[in-house]
Amino acid sequence: MASCSDDSTNDITVNGLAVVSAKTSFSAAGGTDTIALAKPVIKAYAEDSWATVASLGANVTVTAGLNTSRESRHTTVIVKSSEADSTIIDVDQAGATLKIAAPASIISNDDSKTLSYAASSTLPMTITADSSWIVPSFDSDSVYVKLGANNEGHLRSGHIFISAGSFKDTINVKQEEFAKDIAGTYAILDTYNSTDDNLIYQTAYLRDDNGQKNFVFPTLNLKLPITWSDDDMSVTINGGSLLGTINDGNSVDYVYSVLWDVKQGYLTWSSQISYAASLEYDAQDDITYGMFADNGSWAGYNVSAFRFELFSTNPPSSSGR
């Protein structure tokens, strides 16, 4: 079968040269495969530089380098046994992959331990951490995270950084135990009674009372139930939580948590509405702190403060305020 006088792909007649066997699909890691042809080869080349071609006798080797892109790639290899006999062979290479079966955040207690997660990468991987108590490593099929024992008396957090070609990922690492690192004495800013020149704080003990975590206000003789989340190290206050009662000898009033949109001037004591603060540790000042912020639970409003209010009714109601 004849071909035209130039060597462009469009002018080569396909199947003019029989292929005996060929494996031309590469993983992202690359490699070398052999194409066996029915006749000795006088010329072989690839249309793209990422595939290197060599011939010896009736065999053609195709070598693909490492594909660092996430995209697969395709080229064609043109093989000739004479100017009249030639064939075109498709060559494909898969895109790079990085797979780690680890959560976005690793939450651990204070014990020393080594965690492992199934992993695979077609690219060389770099894995580091920003804290000495986190030691990550990688072998052929797993990522290992070694955590040192937390004996510092406070929560701590760090990050693992993973890089492989164009892949970048970060895993958050948090280590704490409520009784050892979170429970303790806190100062809650009393914004209602404070001024710019005189900030007033209410002392509150954050503690676990038989499974129910509370802020206990000793000077007010009140106990505010809270929900603690290890996932984001947050304290959540719900509206309509009973803190205690006040008895003046004639009547009993009930103290409930009320959430406040200060800007719009609206209050709610719905238990479905909440206000949350994620806790952090400040090494410079050696304090654990958090800032309460709206969490989107009150549609159309922005919770910006919580209040303690008296109600004559239990449960709380508008008529009982």
Side-chain angles (χ1 to χ4, degrees), residues 159-170:
H159 305 86
I160 296 171
F161 304 104
I162 299 169
S163 176
S166 62
F167 292 92
K168 308 289 181 185
D169 200 4
T170 300

Side-chain angles (χ1 to χ4, degrees), residues 95-313:
T97 59
L98 173 64
K99 298 178 182 179
I100 302 176
S105 293
I106 296 173
I107 311 296
S108 174
N109 61 18
D110 288 339
D111 295 341
S112 174
K113 65 186 65 175
T114 298
L115 306 171
S116 63
Y117 304 95
S120 63
S121 177
T122 58
L123 301 172
M125 183 193 301
T126 300
I127 181 166
T128 59
D130 60 2
S131 301
S132 60
W133 54 274
I134 307 171
V135 182
S137 59
F138 171 69
D139 66 13
S140 60
D141 60 3
S142 297
V143 163
Y144 299 94
V145 179
K146 183 178 180 181
L147 303 179
N150 181 9
N151 298 312
E152 298 178 15
H154 57 76
L155 62 86
R156 61 184 183 182
S157 59
H159 305 86
I160 296 171
F161 304 104
I162 299 169
S163 176
S166 62
F167 292 92
K168 308 289 181 185
D169 200 4
T170 300
I171 299 174
N172 301 314
V173 183
K174 302 175 182 180
Q175 195 176 36
E176 57 83 15
E177 292 180 14
F178 185 87
K180 291 171 56 180
D181 307 313
I182 305 301
T185 303
Y186 290 79
I188 297 181
L189 179 62
D190 183 347
T191 57
Y192 187 79
N193 293 305
S194 293
T195 65
D196 291 341
D197 298 325
N198 183 29
L199 298 180
I200 298 175
Y201 293 87
Q202 292 288 345
T203 297
Y205 305 136
L206 181 55
R207 70 189 194 192
D208 188 326
D209 295 318
N210 299 316
Q212 173 59 60
K213 296 175 175 61
N214 300 291
F215 269 129
V216 178
F217 296 86
T219 59
L220 302 175
N221 195 29
L222 297 173
K223 183 187 294 186
L224 173 62
I226 65 99
T227 300
W228 170 253
S229 170
D230 287 315
D231 290 341
D232 57 4
M233 296 187 183
S234 67
V235 171
T236 298
I237 297 170
N238 288 82
S241 295
L242 179 64
L243 285 83
T245 59
I246 295 177
N247 189 338
D248 64 2
N250 296 313
S251 63
V252 176
D253 287 316
Y254 303 90
V255 183
Y256 279 93
S257 59
V258 173
L259 303 181
W260 188 11
D261 182 331
V262 175
K263 185 175 182 179
Q264 297 193 63
Y266 282 87
L267 302 170
T268 181
W269 47 87
S270 168
S271 62
Q272 302 302 309
I273 312 303
S274 58
Y275 197 32
S278 292
L279 300 188
E280 301 284 347
Y281 175 72
D282 186 322
Q284 182 174 348
D285 293 330
D286 190 26
I287 59 170
T288 298
Y289 70 95
M291 179 73 72
F292 280 95
D294 180 77
N295 60 8
S297 59
W298 193 7
Y301 299 92
N302 183 81
V303 179
S304 49
F306 65 90
R307 301 162 49 139
F308 302 156
E309 293 219 2
L310 293 176
F311 291 82
S312 60
T313 57

Side-chain angles (χ1 to χ4, degrees), residues 16-21 34-46 53-62 77-89:
L17 173 61
V19 176
V20 177
S21 65
T34 300
I35 303 168
L37 298 119
K39 300 177 183 179
V41 174
I42 64 168
K43 187 176 184 180
Y45 58 93
V53 177
S55 62
L56 179 63
N59 292 325
V60 172
T61 59
V62 181
V77 172
I78 297 91
V79 181
K80 294 185 176 185
S81 61
S82 70
E83 291 302 321
D85 294 321
S86 59
T87 191
I88 298 173
I89 300 161

Side-chain angles (χ1 to χ4, degrees), residues 43-82:
K43 187 176 184 180
Y45 58 93
E47 287 194 315
D48 295 280
S49 60
W50 62 264
T52 303
V53 177
S55 62
L56 179 63
N59 292 325
V60 172
T61 59
V62 181
T63 301
L66 179 68
N67 185 4
T68 60
S69 170
R70 303 185 190 199
E71 302 297 325
S72 60
R73 54 190 181 182
H74 172 83
T75 192
T76 54
V77 172
I78 297 91
V79 181
K80 294 185 176 185
S81 61
S82 70

